[in-house]
Amino acid sequence: MNQFFMHPAIEYRVKLLVSLKNNLIGNGLTMMQKYIGIDLGGTKIKAGIVDLDSGVVDASKSIPTMAREGHDAVMQRMADVALQVIDEAKLSRGDIGGVGIGIPGVLDLEKGETLFLPNLPGTWPNIPVRSTISDKTGFPVSSFVLPE
């Protein structure tokens, strides 16, 4: 059996997107093969498109978080990088089934809000990340999780 090494950051995104796939199926939404994973970090925002059937990462990109600009600017950067990876993968928006987000901190998973992010200035109390990213990208955000 062929085994291959997967960088831990990519492996994390694949796990995040598998969680998204399971969430979508559980909610009766249309199942697509490709999803965007966004990982919000204190210094970097990482986004990637993964084909959930094959595990292939079609494209990934990392940009500075620039957290001192505030949560609105950071969420705009999250949405922008998510849309940029679609172009880099030479895919259309119709090829993407949704977005999963990983955020380090205390979250209200039902509301899709941050409660406390210790690694980001302002700590982001009650910030509606799920709905904001959905509005800015036009994609459903069906997974909102705390990274490992």
Side-chain angles (χ1 to χ4, degrees):
M1 180 171 166
N2 291 335
Q3 291 187 325
F4 62 93
F5 173 77
M6 185 180 295
H7 188 278
I10 299 298
E11 183 178 3
Y12 161 74
R13 280 182 258 172
V14 170
K15 288 178 182 177
L16 176 67
L17 292 168
V18 168
S19 170
L20 171 63
K21 177 180 179 180
N22 293 337
N23 189 309
L24 287 170
I25 292 169
N27 289 319
L29 298 175
T30 302
M31 190 56 230
M32 302 286 290
Q33 285 185 296
K34 298 179 188 289
Y35 291 85
I36 299 172
I38 302 172
D39 182 13
L40 174 62
T43 59
K44 293 182 208 167
I45 299 168
K46 299 174 188 169
I49 297 176
V50 176
D51 182 309
L52 295 183
D53 287 339
S54 68
V56 171
V57 177
D58 291 327
S60 65
K61 184 171 184 157
S62 179
I63 61 172
T65 303
M66 301 174 78
R68 296 211 180 277
E69 292 183 1
H71 58 79
D72 289 329
V74 172
M75 289 188 292
Q76 184 62 56
R77 293 176 63 71
M78 291 169 68
D80 290 346
V81 74
L83 297 175
Q84 289 167 10
V85 293
I86 296 171
D87 292 337
E88 289 184 13
K90 296 182 177 27
L91 297 170
S92 72
R93 292 174 61 87
D95 295 323
I96 306 299
V99 174
I101 303 173
I103 298 179
V106 181
L107 311 171
D108 182 329
L109 299 178
E110 275 188 38
K111 292 181 181 177
E113 294 180 353
T114 58
L115 299 177
F116 178 72
L117 303 185
N119 297 334
L120 297 174
T123 68
W124 292 42
N126 303 305
I127 303 301
V129 176
R130 180 190 293 149
S131 62
T132 300
I133 299 302
S134 182
D135 291 346
K136 290 181 179 298
T137 63
F139 293 113
V141 177
S142 296
S143 186
F144 188 79
V145 300
L146 177 68
E148 293 179 22

